[in-house]
Amino acid sequence: MTIKTPITVAYGDGIGPEIMQATLHILQAANAPIDPEVIEVGEKMYLQGFSSGIPDSAWQSLKRTKVLLKGPITTPQGGGYKSLNVTLRKTLGLFANVRPCVSYAPFVKTKHPDMDLVIIRENEEGTYAGIEHRQTDEVYQCLKLVTRPGCERIVHYAFEYARKFNRHKVTCLSKDNIMKMTDGIFHQVFNEIAAEYPDIQHEHLIIDIGTALVADQPERFDVIVTSNLYGDILSDVAAQIAGSVGLAGSANVGNHVAMFEAIHGSAPDIAGKKIANPSGLLNAAIQMLIHINQPESAMLIENAWLKTLEDGIHTADIYSPDRSKKKVNTDEFADAVIARLGDQPSHFKPVEYQNDVRTKIECYGAKKKVLAKKELVGVDIFVDNPSLTPVELGEKLQKIKSKLKLIIITSRGLKIWPNCMIDAPYAAHCSCRFQMESPETISHQDIIDLLQQFDALGLDVIKTENLYTFDGKAGYSLAQGQ
């Protein structure tokens, strides 16, 4: 008797139930050895008072199965509702988002018929940590947090993915010409780990030209690894130029749990009309089958799906009189795939997956390293400054008596004191940097004493950032003009 693998299934909202029903119908017809366990998440749960859209019973199912096939979710408008996807990714440690972006020309219209790339996006860090503050009446802040273990984990995953799926090149995209520390460590780790994979080509590009090249010459890329925000934007660009966002599946993979979903939304405007294309969710289910080591079922379904596209059986979103033979609804498309189970595509190369070629690649990062010598050498003190000019603020701060000296005042990274070269500097949000004139360490008490004098001067301190050196190297950026 074939042992069935338990999976958790969430039908989702909007068109979710329709495309999930079609997808499961195909999996059942292909005799995929899975045992679905259905949970309720999304809009109904939000409205029942679960702020993240998921009840405790659903968490218990995920802990048991460690695999989630999820339909798209609708998050109610208004405050107080957290993103279910972000909650799942962070709670379950789904650090890698894997999005294959493939063109299916000539049956799906695209300008890039040879496109076949995979974007691997870091899922937990960067600006998507969701740490934001309103600091003044006019200034808002979003923190970008990047860790070395997080970089090691996602880059290692990208190279392991390339090796296991016979990919030949990994491209890193970052913006370390500007963000020299956060993006700099991502690039640095990429170079370090690339050296461990001499059989795989590697390159680095700045994210802006990299995105332009993906949009114009996607065939030059194979596997792309990048950080959270960049990867989110880039993967939608790539899916769109491949021909249709509606065809793309997505995997969110961790060391213990994985979630599989279509990349499109819940499309409530067409919900219930049975016209949605189930292909995105079906392709996600194929990724799931590979992940749970069922390559035979994955090959059977994917080849039948490719044959359906070749035969011109298309849903409305990709239907074209020039390339299509029949326009079908959601259920009819699923039936067409089922009718072709066992068939091989003729235009497309039939897919082949080997046993144990799975996307479950354990990458724990956090390699043991000798800790750097960390020394406190100064402090940046941010103030809400609604009325003083830079010169007036500088004069006021120079009255402070401390062994720490005012070095520079900046606003949004630009020097506004001393000798400001800006005609009309923005001074309502200022960073005041204090350091020793000679390279000496200081104590936290020195900073506390400094802050007490700020308070005595009536200055509104909204934030402080301690300045450290690590093995003598500055762990902070210099302001433009410093």
Side-chain angles (χ1 to χ4, degrees):
M1 175 182 285
T2 302
I3 299 176
K4 294 184 177 182
T5 301
I7 67 167
T8 299
V9 171
Y11 278 75
D13 305 313
I15 61 172
E18 301 161 51
I19 60 174
M20 182 64 77
Q21 184 177 11
T23 297
L24 292 177
H25 186 35
I26 295 170
L27 266 62
Q28 183 180 23
N31 294 316
I34 58 172
D35 183 15
E37 180 177 308
V38 178
I39 60 171
E40 186 78 63
V41 298
E43 190 170 29
K44 290 182 181 178
M45 295 298 101
Y46 282 119
L47 298 178
Q48 288 183 25
F50 296 95
S51 62
S52 296
I54 180 168
D56 292 342
S57 58
W59 287 118
Q60 295 304 315
S61 175
L62 290 172
K63 288 181 180 179
R64 285 193 298 271
T65 69
K66 298 182 175 16
V67 178
L68 173 62
L69 180 63
K70 185 180 74 65
I73 298 298
T74 298
T75 303
Q77 294 184 349
Y81 300 109
K82 299 178 183 178
S83 166
L84 175 61
N85 269 8
V86 172
T87 298
L88 289 169
R89 288 169 183 167
K90 289 188 174 183
T91 305
L92 300 175
L94 308 180
F95 66 86
N97 180 262
V98 183
R99 287 196 185 183
C101 298
V102 183
S103 67
Y104 298 102
F107 308 100
V108 179
K109 184 179 180 180
T110 176
K111 297 178 181 178
H112 307 285
D114 298 322
M115 180 177 179
D116 182 2
L117 62 88
V118 178
I119 297 172
I120 295 178
R121 159 195 168 198
E122 200 289 319
N123 237 359
E124 296 183 302
E125 298 188 343
T127 53
Y128 279 29
I131 304 173
E132 297 184 286
H133 306 92
R134 182 175 180 176
Q135 295 184 319
T136 75
D137 188 59
E138 299 175 336
V139 178
Y140 300 77
Q141 169 185 273
C142 176
L143 293 182
K144 178 172 180 173
L145 298 179
V146 176
T147 67
R148 171 176 270 275
C151 295
E152 290 173 348
R153 189 170 55 179
I154 194 65
V155 173
H156 180 204
Y157 185 96
F159 278 95
E160 282 295 304
Y161 184 99
R163 178 174 284 174
K164 291 198 174 192
F165 286 88
N166 298 314
R167 299 275 177 165
H168 305 293
K169 183 173 74 171
V170 179
T171 302
C172 172
L173 300 181
S174 78
K175 190 68 175 174
D176 62 333
N177 59 329
I178 302 298
M179 287 166 279
K180 300 181 185 299
M181 293 192 173
T182 51
D183 282 30
I185 188 61
F186 197 95
H187 186 181
Q188 179 184 332
V189 166
F190 176 79
N191 288 341
E192 292 172 1
I193 292 179
E196 301 174 11
Y197 294 83
D199 54 316
I200 299 174
Q201 301 173 47
H202 69 278
E203 66 175 350
H204 171 269
L205 296 171
I206 299 300
I207 182 64
D208 39 13
I209 187 60
T211 303
L213 288 171
V214 168
D216 186 55
Q217 304 171 29
E219 61 278 354
R220 64 162 284 167
F221 296 97
D222 197 359
V223 174
I224 294 173
V225 63
T226 190
S227 56
N228 209 334
L229 174 61
Y230 306 151
D232 194 8
I233 296 168
L234 186 68
S235 52
D236 274 3
V237 171
Q240 182 63 33
I241 66 172
S244 174
V245 172
L247 301 182
S250 171
N252 295 274
V253 183
N255 286 324
H256 304 292
V257 184
M259 174 175 69
F260 302 87
E261 60 185 344
I263 71 170
H264 59 71
S266 58
D269 56 321
I270 62 170
K273 297 181 180 180
K274 289 285 187 177
I275 60 174
N277 190 341
S279 295
L281 187 58
L282 182 62
N283 279 318
I286 291 168
Q287 289 179 274
M288 178 194 72
L289 291 171
I290 297 168
H291 175 81
I292 61 177
N293 204 23
Q294 295 184 11
E296 297 86 358
S297 296
M299 287 186 291
L300 182 67
I301 294 170
E302 189 169 352
N303 283 325
W305 178 75
L306 291 171
K307 186 69 167 64
T308 304
L309 289 185
E310 287 184 354
D311 289 347
I313 312 299
H314 299 160
T315 48
D317 59 315
I318 60 172
Y319 179 85
S320 166
D322 299 331
R323 298 178 298 275
S324 308
K325 294 180 180 178
K326 184 179 180 181
K327 183 189 292 185
V328 294
N329 66 23
T330 308
D331 293 339
E332 290 168 340
F333 184 83
D335 290 339
V337 174
I338 291 169
R340 288 162 177 77
L341 290 171
D343 292 349
Q344 298 284 303
S346 54
H347 175 81
F348 299 115
K349 182 181 178 180
V351 297
E352 294 184 15
Y353 298 116
Q354 302 299 318
N355 283 326
D356 208 32
V357 181
R358 59 182 74 186
T359 53
K360 185 179 180 182
I361 301 168
E362 293 190 352
C363 303
Y364 288 94
K367 298 177 182 178
K368 288 186 177 181
K369 293 181 176 64
V370 177
L371 292 178
K373 182 180 180 181
K374 177 182 175 183
E375 295 181 301
L376 179 62
V377 297
V379 62
D380 283 341
I381 300 176
F382 293 77
V383 295
D384 184 352
N385 175 47
S387 58
L388 298 177
T389 67
V391 172
E392 291 170 339
L393 179 61
E395 291 175 348
K396 196 167 190 176
L397 291 175
Q398 286 183 303
K399 297 177 181 178
I400 289 177
K401 296 180 180 180
S402 170
K403 66 180 182 181
L404 294 171
K405 303 301 180 184
L406 178 64
I407 304 298
I408 190 173
I409 302 175
T410 63
S411 177
R412 299 174 299 172
L414 295 173
K415 183 178 77 169
I416 61 172
W417 182 94
N419 305 319
C420 178
M421 302 301 293
I422 305 170
D423 290 338
Y426 183 83
H429 179 276
C430 297
S431 173
C432 311
R433 176 163 291 181
F434 284 80
Q435 291 178 281
M436 296 283 288
E437 291 182 337
S438 58
E440 296 181 26
T441 60
I442 63 172
S443 69
H444 289 93
Q445 187 61 50
D446 293 325
I447 295 175
I448 293 171
D449 294 342
L450 196 59
L451 291 173
Q452 288 176 335
Q453 294 192 61
F454 267 73
D455 185 58
L457 290 171
L459 295 170
D460 182 12
V461 175
I462 53 178
K463 177 188 175 183
T464 64
E465 286 285 352
N466 291 350
L467 307 180
Y468 293 98
T469 60
F470 294 83
D471 289 337
K473 184 177 179 181
Y476 47 91
S477 60
L478 297 179
Q480 295 180 36
Q482 185 174 357

